Amino acid sequence: MKLIPEKVDIKTGNKYIAVLHEDTARMFDLHAGDRIILKNKKNVIRALLDTTPTMRKDHIKLFTEAWDLLEAKKGDKITVEMAEKPISTMYIKEKLNGIALTKAKINEIVKDIVEDDLTDIEMTYFVSACYIHGLNDQETADLTRSIVANGNKLKFKDKIIVDKHCIGGVPGNRTTMIVVPMLTAAGLKMPKTSSRSITSPAGTADTMEVLANVTNQAPKLMKIANKVGGFITWGGGVDLAAADDRLIRVRHPLSLDPEGMLLASIMAKKHSVGANHVLIDIPIGKTVKISNMKQAQHLRQRFLKIAKLLGMKAEVIITDGKEPIGNGVGPLLEAIDVIKVLKNEKDAPQDLKNKCIKLVAILLELTKKAHKGQGLNMAKELLESGAAWKKMQEIIKEQGEKKIPKLSSIFIDIKAEKSGKVIEIHNKKISRVCRVAGAPKDIQGGVYLYKKTGDKVKKGEILFRIYSSSKQLLDYASKFAKEDSAYTIK
Amino acid sequence: MKLIPEKVDIKTGNKYIAVLHEDTARMFDLHAGDRIILKNKKNVIRALLDTTPTMRKDHIKLFTEAWDLLEAKKGDKITVEMAEKPISTMYIKEKLNGIALTKAKINEIVKDIVEDDLTDIEMTYFVSACYIHGLNDQETADLTRSIVANGNKLKFKDKIIVDKHCIGGVPGNRTTMIVVPMLTAAGLKMPKTSSRSITSPAGTADTMEVLANVTNQAPKLMKIANKVGGFITWGGGVDLAAADDRLIRVRHPLSLDPEGMLLASIMAKKHSVGANHVLIDIPIGKTVKISNMKQAQHLRQRFLKIAKLLGMKAEVIITDGKEPIGNGVGPLLEAIDVIKVLKNEKDAPQDLKNKCIKLVAILLELTKKAHKGQGLNMAKELLESGAAWKKMQEIIKEQGEKKIPKLSSIFIDIKAEKSGKVIEIHNKKISRVCRVAGAPKDIQGGVYLYKKTGDKVKKGEILFRIYSSSKQLLDYASKFAKEDSAYTIK
């Protein structure tokens, strides 16, 4: 049967999608979600079928990509045939049945994900299976390698490439923007890709974007890293882990974080820039992702095992996540903190500074840039000598410098309702206030913390100041902050 | 922000779908798969978001249903807001985490499925969770009730409503079309909905359709059942288990049959016509769905428990599935078998006749129409007296009689390659030959078995005859049958 093509002027993003009338599909013994082969005189393509109850039964609707690839035109005729399902769907079913997957099977699944040959439903089955049955260390390492193999890679000639990663959940924890210039100032190569915020008030990419362009393409980034030692860019702009991005799309609706996928996702980003010396930071605290030492130790062991399987030297540090780090939370306020630390300014947040020194010390010793026990001194020197700040200015210049805006003049102070000592600052509540104030879309939006845990406060003293570009959002945020203070004072 | 609507002229089948440019979505902090609220001056609707890399950033594309419900028009402005996720997504996550669901939570999930408020991805997570963790008896009964509560129902005044169901996998097993007229001739009410074939050469609905219309609507079906006692119709035309149909759509890509869903799916169809006396037939055999007695007994126990929880009287019979039942396989050939049995013709297939008598006997005793031990005699009498055939003619007339076509004159005989005794007939291979010959789309397509297991054959004798409307398909089918004979002769 020959069908007459109609164009649907919507780009689907790589996927080839065709639509048939329900009855036409039934005649071909086809269901929505089946793969079909479409032929005209010019071309043959493999597409995904959708069906609709009302359209002309002798027509076939083609979304932009399918229309273009077929070079379809008015008066054309299209032949439809059923296509085989990719074999990877069988492997997904094996995983659903609790069978551990081989490297070859995992790679087949990942390849099909990247080539858009698996539907959302099929990918969701894969995520479910990995979530419920888990992925063992070997599967996780294989998944990591497959994600890297089926995405872009950055290849450097250097023997040592360093990277770091924080599991997240602590607002204001912008160590990357200090650690990268410190380590590159020490002569190490550190090509750093970071994420944008999903649920936090700012990702490293959002904060870095206040100072410099973070959407440079791979060739430019290679050049920058080879010239000045490193960069800090948005990973999403480089497509290093295409499979991972597609899996995240189906993980999003239920916010699923299958442990093996989380590990593979992190390690793939390191592996794809060639990192072989890696530091993972796991903050623990009641109000961050990892709430207790047992969980943290479990994750630590898994990271170390998988790194070993991948041939990486790795260290995992378990850090304090009981309050935000630094004083600023939100893109601009965090960027200001970072610059203060790099410039050795008097009012630089000491917790952020000390944490960075600690992280850098570990990586200096891991890479043998520093002798055992000498990392801390060397790290301090890199920061306090101004070498790191100099390097950061080079990185910013190479990536494309931006003019830092002034802090918003629209703000509201949240004051202590009683005197006492700050016992705890609720990370998620602070994040929420910043989000309501507009962060990270509004780079001005966020919070500056005047008091941290351990500080004594008097009733009426300022605990934190909320900034926003919008008077209305500021009102919402301050209302929220007043109703549900993030501070525990005793 | 106000967006300009554009219509996408595709009906999605109830779902309201809107498309934004990726960048516009990001500005609203929205992702593909999120729910959004769309407002214009006239209306407010809840829609599902999709994104695309290329469209006008100040526009919003609306698929037909969304466009119509909003009464959108050119020059209109649409406001977009993020909508909350339905709470049922949280329950799905609980199930993924292995937590058994309460009746209320299951009902919330089913309600949202029917109201198209859960996306394919979210439904897939639900199916995965049920597949891997299983559904206990209580959950299965609750799922059954929820499917029934959220679909159409047929309500009869009779105290006793009978139904039967076969787990399937045995070609030619068209007992329903004989059992229904037998039991209605005994004065019982039997409103029977059946499925069309998915992977078999014919579903009961496909075979019944050779004789009568099977797409009558609910009010007409009620009238027929109240007049003549029963009907045999296609269930998909009555929308009795809308949630089930939607779940089957996401189960299809990986052919997943989570046991609890399978049970709920079957029981819901009985429950929705008010059946309270039910017989389940589980054929076992190497080449059908259930291959051993242990599996069959397990399923039997589950059926009985769930029926009890649903307040149904149930019996489960485990039958022989070692070969096709009757001689014909394929819509027309099966219909001919059925009529021969009902008409007590000499060459009527005895295995089909005896099986129907057995099934009817059990239901006569279960409903107390027959005293214990008297069912078999009464069943025989119903058939052999011609009462069942008379009833079938009434049913056919009420549903809308069709003219039975003659058997196709295009056929090929498959002959024995050696002499011996037929040990086994491979069900799946016979089905495959019939499918290749065009069944069930081509009602002529199928196979007539001249030899059954136990029969002695001589080399060169006809084993079976393949029919088709198409010479080409017949050639394919016979080639297939010759390469890989379904008969084991020793």
Side-chain angles (χ1 to χ4, degrees):
Chain A
M1 187 165 170
K2 305 264 186 189
L3 298 170
I4 297 159
E6 283 177 45
K7 184 173 179 179
V8 179
D9 193 16
I10 295 180
K11 276 209 175 178
T12 56
N14 298 323
K15 276 196 172 71
Y16 302 115
I17 296 181
V19 186
L20 292 176
H21 191 288
E22 285 173 357
D23 295 345
T24 313
R26 196 174 297 137
M27 274 192 47
F28 284 110
D29 205 12
L30 291 168
H31 299 81
D34 281 343
R35 281 122 188 121
I36 50 178
I37 292 172
L38 304 179
K39 288 181 194 171
N40 60 2
K41 278 189 185 163
K42 291 201 121 181
N43 287 299
V44 181
I45 67 165
R46 197 174 151 84
L48 199 66
L49 177 67
D50 216 335
T51 61
T52 176
T54 51
M55 63 178 272
R56 286 192 54 174
K57 291 189 187 181
D58 57 344
H59 280 217
I60 180 165
K61 297 195 179 196
L62 302 171
F63 280 70
T64 306
E65 284 95 340
W67 177 274
D68 290 348
L69 198 67
L70 269 177
E71 298 176 51
K73 54 185 188 300
K74 278 190 182 171
D76 208 355
K77 298 273 188 177
I78 308 282
T79 310
V80 177
E81 281 172 22
M82 188 160 189
E84 291 284 313
K85 257 183 223 179
I87 188 139
S88 58
T89 56
M90 284 181 52
Y91 306 151
I92 291 173
K93 197 159 177 184
E94 284 179 21
K95 187 72 200 167
L96 275 170
N97 287 328
I99 298 165
L101 295 177
T102 62
K103 188 179 170 178
K105 290 180 180 176
I106 289 175
N107 196 59
E108 191 69 22
I109 295 170
V110 171
K111 180 182 73 66
D112 285 345
I113 290 173
V114 172
E115 289 175 359
D116 277 311
D117 213 9
L118 287 178
T119 65
D120 283 357
I121 290 175
E122 289 153 353
M123 282 196 283
T124 303
Y125 279 122
F126 182 54
V127 172
S128 304
C130 295
Y131 181 76
I132 301 179
H133 292 302
L135 290 164
N136 65 34
D137 293 331
Q138 188 61 51
E139 287 179 299
T140 306
D142 291 338
L143 179 59
T144 307
R145 278 202 200 90
S146 296
I147 293 172
V148 174
N150 292 283
N152 282 340
K153 279 171 283 291
L154 301 186
K155 278 185 191 162
F156 296 99
K157 288 180 184 161
D158 312 67
K159 277 194 181 159
I160 297 177
I161 309 281
V162 286
D163 207 337
K164 69 160 278 287
H165 184 86
C166 179
I167 294 296
V170 182
N173 188 26
R174 282 294 83 71
T175 56
T176 293
M177 289 169 67
I178 299 164
V179 168
V180 172
M182 285 171 80
L183 287 167
T184 48
L188 287 163
K189 177 121 322 156
M190 190 161 186
K192 184 81 191 87
T193 63
S194 297
S195 57
R196 290 189 186 279
S197 146
I198 297 176
T199 54
S200 69
T204 293
D206 298 311
T207 302
M208 184 66 186
E209 202 171 30
V210 175
L211 310 178
N213 177 15
V214 294
T215 56
N216 292 301
Q217 299 300 302
K220 173 105 188 269
L221 291 171
M222 290 290 297
K223 243 172 89 181
I224 296 172
N226 283 324
K227 185 170 174 193
V228 300
F231 53 73
I232 302 160
T233 196
W234 174 48
V238 201
D239 213 18
L240 294 175
D244 195 51
D245 294 342
R246 284 168 172 78
L247 287 171
I248 285 171
R249 192 161 47 79
V250 299
R251 284 163 52 186
H252 172 73
L254 255 66
S255 315
L256 284 195
D257 249 353
E259 191 182 270
M261 284 193 172
L262 176 82
L263 293 166
S265 168
I266 292 167
M267 295 309 254
K269 280 164 194 156
K270 315 297 148 210
H271 208 44
S272 62
V273 297
N276 45 28
H277 289 72
V278 175
L279 174 60
I280 307 287
D281 170 15
I282 305 180
I284 54 174
K286 274 192 286 182
T287 59
V288 295
K289 285 185 195 167
I290 307 297
S291 62
N292 62 62
M293 186 53 85
K294 198 181 153 192
Q295 271 182 290
Q297 286 291 4
H298 164 77
L299 214 51
R300 178 176 191 275
Q301 290 307 327
R302 290 215 69 188
F303 265 117
L304 292 176
K305 274 186 205 161
I306 291 152
K308 204 173 171 187
L309 287 167
L310 293 168
M312 292 177 177
K313 290 202 174 180
E315 195 47 82
V316 178
I317 180 172
I318 296 173
T319 57
D320 185 353
K322 73 170 179 304
E323 63 175 346
I325 291 189
N327 298 101
V329 180
L332 178 56
L333 288 151
E334 291 175 15
I336 291 170
D337 269 5
V338 164
I339 291 172
K340 279 183 185 170
V341 172
L342 285 169
K343 280 180 152 177
N344 290 302
E345 287 183 7
K346 269 192 185 162
D347 61 345
Q350 294 304 303
D351 55 349
L352 179 60
K353 176 180 171 179
N354 292 333
K355 183 164 180 179
C356 293
I357 289 172
K358 213 164 157 182
L359 299 177
V360 168
I362 294 171
L363 279 167
L364 288 171
E365 293 186 11
L366 191 70
T367 55
K368 300 198 172 143
K369 268 281 165 185
H371 291 296
K372 201 128 201 181
Q374 296 300 312
L376 272 180
N377 279 336
M378 192 172 163
K380 248 184 220 166
E381 175 64 21
L382 286 164
L383 194 58
E384 291 173 359
S385 68
W389 173 231
K390 194 169 156 266
K391 195 50 100 171
M392 183 61 158
Q393 287 171 295
E394 289 173 26
I395 293 171
I396 290 172
K397 208 180 142 201
E398 291 295 328
Q399 289 188 205
E401 186 165 5
K402 290 197 172 183
K403 198 176 175 306
I404 309 175
K406 272 198 195 167
L407 254 183
S408 174
S409 56
I410 309 175
F411 60 80
I412 285 178
D413 290 330
I414 302 296
K415 292 172 183 172
E417 288 183 345
K418 61 175 179 181
S419 301
K421 198 173 158 186
V422 179
I423 303 297
E424 199 186 3
I425 304 173
H426 197 297
N427 289 305
K428 286 178 185 162
K429 288 181 183 170
I430 289 291
S431 288
R432 181 80 198 277
V433 169
C434 297
R435 299 264 312 165
V436 176
K441 267 188 284 179
D442 173 10
I443 64 168
Q444 294 275 1
V447 150
Y448 186 88
L449 307 172
Y450 284 93
K451 299 289 179 185
K452 301 289 291 273
T453 61
D455 288 352
K456 284 180 182 163
V457 291
K458 282 179 195 157
K459 186 178 167 179
E461 258 191 306
I462 302 177
L463 295 175
F464 58 92
R465 177 169 289 176
I466 313 174
Y467 290 91
S468 179
S469 292
S470 149
K471 183 79 188 63
Q472 195 191 4
L473 292 184
L474 187 68
D475 284 341
Y476 286 141
S478 70
K479 201 174 154 222
F480 179 80
K482 279 168 189 165
E483 269 170 15
D484 191 1
S485 165
Y487 276 64
T488 309
I489 297 170
K490 272 186 184 165
Chain B
M1 186 165 167
K2 305 262 187 193
L3 298 171
I4 298 159
E6 284 176 46
K7 184 172 179 180
V8 180
D9 192 16
I10 296 180
K11 276 209 178 178
T12 56
N14 298 323
K15 277 198 170 71
Y16 302 114
I17 296 181
V19 186
L20 293 177
H21 191 288
E22 286 174 355
D23 295 344
T24 312
R26 196 173 297 136
M27 273 190 50
F28 283 110
D29 205 12
L30 291 167
H31 300 81
D34 282 343
R35 283 124 185 118
I36 50 177
I37 292 171
L38 304 179
K39 289 182 195 172
N40 61 2
K41 277 189 184 162
K42 291 200 123 179
N43 288 298
V44 180
I45 67 165
R46 197 174 151 85
L48 198 67
L49 177 66
D50 216 334
T51 61
T52 176
T54 51
M55 64 176 273
R56 284 193 55 174
K57 293 189 187 181
D58 57 343
H59 279 218
I60 181 166
K61 296 194 180 200
L62 302 171
F63 280 71
T64 306
E65 285 93 341
W67 176 274
D68 290 349
L69 198 70
L70 269 178
E71 298 176 54
K73 54 184 190 299
K74 278 191 184 173
D76 208 355
K77 298 274 187 177
I78 309 282
T79 310
V80 177
E81 280 171 24
M82 190 160 188
E84 291 283 315
K85 257 183 226 182
I87 189 142
S88 57
T89 56
M90 282 181 53
Y91 306 151
I92 292 173
K93 196 160 177 183
E94 283 179 21
K95 187 71 200 166
L96 274 171
N97 288 328
I99 298 165
L101 295 178
T102 63
K103 188 180 171 178
K105 289 180 181 177
I106 288 174
N107 197 58
E108 189 70 23
I109 293 170
V110 171
K111 180 182 72 67
D112 285 344
I113 289 173
V114 173
E115 289 175 359
D116 277 312
D117 213 8
L118 287 178
T119 64
D120 283 355
I121 290 175
E122 289 152 355
M123 283 195 283
T124 303
Y125 279 121
F126 183 53
V127 172
S128 304
C130 296
Y131 181 77
I132 301 179
H133 293 301
L135 289 164
N136 64 35
D137 292 331
Q138 189 59 53
E139 287 178 301
T140 307
D142 291 338
L143 179 59
T144 307
R145 280 203 199 89
S146 296
I147 292 172
V148 174
N150 292 284
N152 282 340
K153 278 172 285 290
L154 302 185
K155 278 185 191 163
F156 297 97
K157 286 179 185 161
D158 311 68
K159 275 194 183 158
I160 296 178
I161 310 282
V162 285
D163 207 337
K164 68 159 279 285
H165 184 85
C166 178
I167 294 297
V170 182
N173 188 26
R174 283 294 81 75
T175 56
T176 292
M177 288 169 66
I178 300 165
V179 168
V180 171
M182 285 171 79
L183 288 167
T184 48
L188 287 163
K189 178 120 324 154
M190 191 161 186
K192 183 79 190 90
T193 62
S194 296
S195 56
R196 290 190 186 278
S197 147
I198 296 175
T199 54
S200 70
T204 292
D206 299 311
T207 302
M208 184 66 185
E209 202 171 29
V210 175
L211 311 178
N213 177 15
V214 294
T215 56
N216 290 301
Q217 298 301 300
K220 173 108 188 269
L221 291 171
M222 291 289 298
K223 243 172 89 178
I224 297 172
N226 284 325
K227 185 171 174 191
V228 300
F231 53 74
I232 302 161
T233 196
W234 173 48
V238 203
D239 213 18
L240 295 174
D244 196 50
D245 294 342
R246 284 169 173 77
L247 286 171
I248 284 171
R249 191 161 49 77
V250 300
R251 284 163 52 186
H252 171 73
L254 256 64
S255 314
L256 283 195
D257 248 354
E259 190 181 274
M261 284 192 172
L262 175 82
L263 294 165
S265 170
I266 293 167
M267 296 309 255
K269 279 163 197 156
K270 316 294 147 214
H271 208 43
S272 62
V273 296
N276 44 29
H277 290 71
V278 175
L279 174 59
I280 307 288
D281 170 16
I282 306 180
I284 52 174
K286 274 193 284 180
T287 60
V288 296
K289 283 186 197 167
I290 308 297
S291 62
N292 62 62
M293 187 52 86
K294 200 181 151 193
Q295 269 183 291
Q297 286 291 5
H298 163 78
L299 214 51
R300 178 175 191 275
Q301 290 308 327
R302 290 215 69 188
F303 265 116
L304 292 175
K305 273 187 204 160
I306 291 152
K308 202 173 174 188
L309 286 168
L310 292 168
M312 291 176 178
K313 291 202 174 180
E315 195 46 83
V316 178
I317 180 172
I318 295 172
T319 58
D320 186 352
K322 74 170 176 304
E323 63 175 348
I325 291 188
N327 297 104
V329 180
L332 178 57
L333 288 153
E334 292 175 14
I336 292 169
D337 270 4
V338 163
I339 290 171
K340 282 182 184 169
V341 172
L342 284 169
K343 281 180 152 178
N344 290 303
E345 289 183 7
K346 267 192 187 162
D347 61 343
Q350 295 303 303
D351 55 347
L352 179 61
K353 176 180 172 178
N354 292 334
K355 183 164 180 177
C356 292
I357 290 172
K358 211 164 158 185
L359 298 177
V360 167
I362 296 171
L363 279 166
L364 288 172
E365 294 187 12
L366 192 70
T367 55
K368 299 193 172 146
K369 269 278 164 187
H371 291 296
K372 202 130 199 175
Q374 297 301 309
L376 271 180
N377 281 336
M378 191 173 167
K380 251 183 216 163
E381 174 65 20
L382 287 165
L383 196 57
E384 291 172 358
S385 67
W389 173 231
K390 194 169 158 264
K391 197 46 107 173
M392 184 61 159
Q393 288 171 296
E394 289 173 26
I395 293 172
I396 289 171
K397 206 180 144 202
E398 291 295 330
Q399 290 188 205
E401 186 165 5
K402 291 196 173 184
K403 198 175 174 305
I404 309 175
K406 273 199 196 165
L407 254 182
S408 175
S409 57
I410 309 176
F411 58 81
I412 285 179
D413 289 332
I414 303 296
K415 294 171 183 171
E417 289 183 345
K418 60 175 180 182
S419 301
K421 196 172 159 186
V422 179
I423 304 296
E424 198 185 4
I425 304 174
H426 198 297
N427 289 304
K428 286 178 186 160
K429 288 180 184 170
I430 289 291
S431 289
R432 181 79 198 278
V433 169
C434 298
R435 301 264 312 165
V436 175
K441 265 187 286 178
D442 173 10
I443 66 167
Q444 296 274 3
V447 152
Y448 186 87
L449 306 173
Y450 284 92
K451 298 290 178 184
K452 302 285 293 270
T453 62
D455 289 350
K456 282 181 185 163
V457 292
K458 282 180 196 157
K459 187 177 168 181
E461 259 192 306
I462 300 177
L463 295 176
F464 58 93
R465 178 168 288 176
I466 313 173
Y467 289 91
S468 179
S469 292
S470 148
K471 183 78 188 62
Q472 195 192 4
L473 291 184
L474 187 67
D475 286 339
Y476 285 143
S478 69
K479 201 176 155 221
F480 180 79
K482 280 168 189 168
E483 271 171 14
D484 191 2
S485 165
Y487 276 64
T488 308
I489 298 170
K490 272 186 184 166

